[in-house]
Amino acid sequence: MRKAAEAFTSAVQALAGQVFPWADQMRVRHEWSYAWYDHQPDPITLPATDKNTKT
């Protein structure tokens, strides 16, 4: 299950800059089977765009 969640996170991260150009990071939470596995890693920094970078 963990590898599936990591693959899904990578896929969303690859599209996030195109779908949400104003976003500068994303947060992902993985939770399985009534919180038997609950993990919330640090935010993932997305590539800079003209809409998410302060000038």
Side-chain angles (χ1 to χ4, degrees):
M1 294 265 190
R2 185 179 294 173
K3 289 201 180 260
E6 290 171 358
F8 188 73
T9 299
S10 294
V12 171
Q13 183 179 356
L15 293 173
Q18 298 170 18
V19 179
F20 305 107
W22 43 262
D24 64 345
Q25 62 178 289
M26 67 181 211
R27 293 180 184 265
V28 178
R29 180 176 177 163
H30 307 158
E31 184 176 338
W32 301 99
S33 300
Y34 307 101
W36 291 344
Y37 171 70
D38 186 357
H39 176 68
Q40 189 170 359
D42 293 332
I44 299 169
T45 302
L46 300 174
T49 67
D50 59 336
K51 295 182 180 179
N52 73 3
T53 306
K54 297 176 184 174
T55 54

